[in-house]
């Protein structure tokens, strides 16, 4: 937990909370986008609302100042208009009226957004503040307990008429694969999400393969073992990379994006994740002029594990929404 700068100099504060399958982050920013407070804690799936209320109240107490609004980033089918979230399969949420419940508890305006979309929005804004020729489109590929993409296309957040644009974690990767938490078979998540990576190591060792890995290893353990030359781990990480490279190709081909940023807990593996993905993309480019056209000048980068893009994006959305006379603009399609 840190508190930096001078909290009272920055005008009205807003908080951003990112509820992940494994951990929940909060940031508080001032009107100059400076982070005054941040904290990360394991997600309490049995008490999501209570946990968010507690995190915001702790931040208020620590800063000695109220927040004017709270943005909440969460996976699943999110309706930003009524603040509801449903089908968050990795959180066990069937349907939750999250925004109204938090508004009652916290007494400030609450803005709920899909986690990867909030992150993509933040990345897009950061790019716009940086280079003069920043790309107007970006896909943020979140790989953690689940997998999904948030997409900003030509400067606008892509939601889709069905509200599910970017849910690449549930496109089919192996038609004969495992049943996914969503009920479908062989989704990308059953191969390349964090829990699936550990599960594959267990399966291979149960089948008699020898490995330095202990039972119930995490994705991070598997990537470390892969870097150290463990054959089982290398087989898994290569398979994961091939499937993620295909997902990136799909994003490039269906949406036309040239910038893909990978984040989420699995991205903490760093080069052990990125290098095999880039090798796989290079093989696709060499094999196909079409893949070369789609991916030749694309950048695929990893977000630093210290960044909290979902929470920053949620805070940015809250700031924009209370700052605008009408509920339009950033955060809207
Ligand atoms: Zn699925």
């Amino acid at each position: 937990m840190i508190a930096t700068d001078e909290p009272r100099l920055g005008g009205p504060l807003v908080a951003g909370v990112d509820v992940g399958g494994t951990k929940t982050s909060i940031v508080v920013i001032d009107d100059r986008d400076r982070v005054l407070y941040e904290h990360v804690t394991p997600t309490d799936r049995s008490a999501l609302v209570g946990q968010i209320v507690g995190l915001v109240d702790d931040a208020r107490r620590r800063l000695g100042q109220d927040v004017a609004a709270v943005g909440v980033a969460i996976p699943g089918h999110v309706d930003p208009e009524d603040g509801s979230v449903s089908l968050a399969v990795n959180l066990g949420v069937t349907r939750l009226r999250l925004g109204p419940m938090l508004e009652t508890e916290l007494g400030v305006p609450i803005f709920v957004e899909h986690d990867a979309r909030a992150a993509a929005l933040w990345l897009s804004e950061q790019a716009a503040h940086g280079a003069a020729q920043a790309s107007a489109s970006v896909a943020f590929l979140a790989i953690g307990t689940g997998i999904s993409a948030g997409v900003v296309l030509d400067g606008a957040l892509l939601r889709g008429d069905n509200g599910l644009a970017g849910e690449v974690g549930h496109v089919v990767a192996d038609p004969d694969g495992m049943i996914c938490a969503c009920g479908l078979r062989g989704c990308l998540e059953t191969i390349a999400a964090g829990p699936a990576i550990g599960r594959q190591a267990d399966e291979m060792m149960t089948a008699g393969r020898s490995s330095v890995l202990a039972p119930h290893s995490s994705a991070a353990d598997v990537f470390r073992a892969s870097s150290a030359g463990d054959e089982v781990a290398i087989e898994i990480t290569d398979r994961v990379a091939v499937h993620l490279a295909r997902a990136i190709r799909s994003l490039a081909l269906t949406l036309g994006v040239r910038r893909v940023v990978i984040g989420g807990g699995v991205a903490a593996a760093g080069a052990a994740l990125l290098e095999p993905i880039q090798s796989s993309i290079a093989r696709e480019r060499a094999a196909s002029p079409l893949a070369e056209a789609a991916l030749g000048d694309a950048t695929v980068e990893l977000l630093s594990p210290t960044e909290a893009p979902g929470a920053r994006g949620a805070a940015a959305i809250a700031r924009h929404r209370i700052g605008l006379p009408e509920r339009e603009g950033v955060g809207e399609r």
Side-chain angles (χ1 to χ4, degrees):
M1 190 179 299
I2 62 163
T4 53
D5 292 320
E6 307 85 12
R8 283 176 186 77
L9 293 179
L13 309 183
V14 295
V17 179
D18 183 12
V19 183
T22 308
K23 59 186 186 172
T24 294
S25 319
I26 181 170
V27 298
V28 177
I29 60 169
D30 67 9
D31 59 356
R32 283 146 69 182
D33 205 30
R34 296 180 304 182
V35 176
L36 305 185
Y37 174 88
E38 57 186 331
H39 183 62
V40 183
T41 190
T43 298
D44 181 357
R45 296 186 199 194
S46 66
L48 292 179
V49 173
Q51 181 167 43
I52 296 168
V53 170
L55 285 169
V56 174
D57 279 342
D58 281 350
R60 286 164 154 166
R61 221 174 7 253
R62 293 255 174 183
L63 291 165
Q65 200 171 340
D66 201 1
V67 295
V70 179
V72 180
I74 190 164
H77 189 288
V78 175
D79 183 340
E81 289 311 309
D82 69 7
S84 69
V85 55
S86 53
L87 296 169
V89 293
N90 293 311
L91 289 172
V93 170
T94 309
R95 183 172 168 81
L96 188 63
R97 295 187 72 247
L98 184 62
M101 289 168 83
L102 288 173
E103 227 157 63
T104 302
E105 294 284 332
L106 290 168
V108 294
I110 307 291
F111 303 100
V112 185
E113 183 52 275
H114 181 271
D115 57 352
R117 284 185 202 134
L121 189 73
W122 181 69
L123 288 168
S124 160
E125 288 191 352
Q126 293 296 106
H129 292 157
Q133 288 188 316
S135 166
S137 300
V138 61
F140 175 70
L141 184 60
I143 311 168
T145 311
I147 297 176
S148 74
V151 179
V152 171
L153 212 49
D154 299 328
L157 197 58
L158 181 68
R159 198 175 302 287
D161 286 346
N162 60 10
L164 291 167
E167 292 292 352
V168 292
H170 304 283
V171 297
V172 64
D174 176 1
D176 303 317
M178 301 266 301
I179 297 287
C180 177
C182 76
L184 294 170
R185 183 180 292 280
C187 296
L188 179 62
E189 278 192 15
T190 67
I191 295 170
I197 294 169
R199 190 205 70 233
Q200 288 167 87
D202 284 343
E203 285 170 359
M204 289 169 74
M205 290 186 289
T206 303
R209 297 283 303 275
S210 70
S211 167
V212 299
L213 288 163
H216 310 303
S217 288
S218 67
D221 296 331
V222 175
F223 279 103
R224 258 193 305 275
S226 176
S227 298
D230 183 77
E231 281 185 19
V232 162
I234 289 171
E235 218 171 292
I236 297 166
T237 52
D238 281 352
R239 183 167 187 243
V240 166
V242 163
H243 283 278
L244 291 174
R246 285 178 189 160
I248 289 166
R249 190 217 310 164
S250 298
L251 290 170
L253 285 171
T254 55
L255 301 168
V257 291
R258 280 192 174 135
R259 181 175 178 226
V260 177
V261 180
I262 301 174
V266 173
L273 172 69
L274 187 60
E275 284 174 5
I277 289 175
Q278 284 179 328
S279 300
S280 188
I281 289 173
R283 284 194 297 275
E284 293 193 342
R285 287 173 53 193
S288 158
L290 178 71
E292 174 62 24
L295 295 161
D297 55 2
T299 61
V300 179
E301 60 199 274
L302 280 187
L303 198 63
S304 159
T306 58
E307 300 279 11
R312 294 295 301 272
I317 288 165
R319 160 129 354 260
H320 290 302
R321 296 283 290 262
I322 57 168
L324 290 172
E326 294 174 8
R327 289 191 169 188
E328 289 177 3
V330 175
E332 297 301 301
R333 182 158 59 103

